[in-house]
Amino acid sequence: MNPKEFIARRAAQALEDGDIVNLGIGIPTQVADFVPPDIEVFLHSENGILGVGPSPKPEQVDKQLVNAGKLPVTVEAGASFFDSASSFAMIRGGHVDVSILGVLQVDEKGRVANWAVPGKSVLGVGGAMDLLEGSRKVIVTTLHTTKEGESKIVKWLQYPMTSERKADLIITELAVFEVDDEGLVLKETAPEITIDHVKKHTEASFKVSLNTVVKGVW
């Protein structure tokens, strides 16, 4: 299992039976493949689908059936389709329980940057701002560092902030952090990862919970 799949699987374990869940672009799209079999969740894509299923096998691909990132998807029995305006009305109306978002960076207060890189063209803001403001719970999924080895969990955002609303949970291939009123709290480390290793690769300050699970269940 590659690191992105590893992260997606841990994010799926944070879902609860009955949740309506929006999956953002990138790592979040893979969460659909790891939803635990003992719960039922309803996966939402802001291009107008409620009831997204796992990734299709090659013979199942329907070019007319894609998510917001234009990746092919399957749909579950009873899925519904609607226009983008209705989809965003669901989000802004508080009808999405959980949003799982990819990010460029997240700061030590849990605030997210994920829609623009300075100096590069912006094709569209997308739905991240609406999802952060409208969802009851926000889970961030990201690789812990960039390709250059720089921490993506930073003291201060170097990219434009998406929203003042903080994430609730941050999941990387190294660790799981919760976000409280004071900032980041380390709750779990991945198997074979020590707390010192997480500290070494994290620019942001964080607290270590008294009940931190070292080598948590992933």
Side-chain angles (χ1 to χ4, degrees):
M1 185 174 295
N2 67 45
K4 293 181 179 181
E5 292 175 331
F6 188 70
I7 295 166
R9 184 177 68 172
R10 179 60 185 84
Q13 293 174 13
L15 302 179
E16 298 181 1
D17 193 48
D19 278 344
I20 296 174
V21 184
N22 180 278
L23 301 181
I25 294 171
I27 294 173
T29 61
Q30 299 184 54
V31 172
D33 298 331
F34 297 100
V35 175
D38 58 339
I39 67 170
E40 182 179 24
V41 298
F42 304 92
L43 301 181
H44 172 268
S45 182
E46 61 256 40
N47 62 323
I49 309 174
L50 183 63
V52 174
S55 301
K57 297 177 181 178
E59 64 273 15
Q60 294 177 303
V61 171
D62 180 345
K63 293 182 180 179
Q64 301 299 317
L65 194 58
V66 297
N67 61 21
K70 298 183 176 60
L71 295 175
V73 296
T74 61
V75 292
E76 303 285 7
S80 58
F81 301 88
F82 34 86
D83 60 30
S84 183
S86 298
S87 185
F88 276 83
M90 290 176 60
I91 297 166
R92 294 167 183 168
H95 303 293
V96 173
D97 297 305
V98 183
S99 284
I100 304 179
L101 302 176
V103 300
L104 296 169
Q105 290 180 331
V106 57
D107 73 11
E108 63 184 20
K109 294 184 179 180
R111 297 175 301 186
V112 166
N114 74 341
W115 70 275
V117 177
K120 295 189 177 181
S121 299
V122 178
L123 298 178
V125 173
M129 294 174 182
D130 301 271
L131 291 165
L132 275 160
E133 292 294 333
S135 305
R136 298 176 189 176
K137 181 178 182 179
V138 174
I139 299 174
V140 163
T141 56
T142 179
L143 294 173
H144 207 94
T145 61
T146 66
K147 293 178 181 179
E148 292 75 30
E150 297 176 352
S151 177
K152 296 178 72 173
I153 305 176
V154 296
K155 294 190 72 66
W156 305 100
L157 297 174
Q158 283 91 51
Y159 302 127
M161 187 185 301
T162 305
S163 169
E164 284 283 356
R165 187 262 170 88
K166 300 180 290 187
D168 298 287
L169 198 67
I170 301 165
I171 300 173
T172 78
E173 75 278 23
L174 301 185
V176 176
F177 298 90
E178 288 184 355
V179 182
D180 66 14
D181 292 338
E182 297 179 3
L184 308 185
V185 182
L186 180 66
K187 300 298 292 185
E188 293 180 25
T189 65
E192 302 182 10
I193 300 298
T194 65
I195 293 174
D196 284 342
H197 185 83
V198 176
K199 289 180 177 179
K200 179 180 178 181
H201 293 279
T202 307
E203 178 189 312
S205 300
F206 61 86
K207 296 181 294 185
V208 178
S209 172
L210 292 176
N211 60 348
T212 294
V213 178
V214 179
K215 303 176 184 176
V217 179
W218 292 61

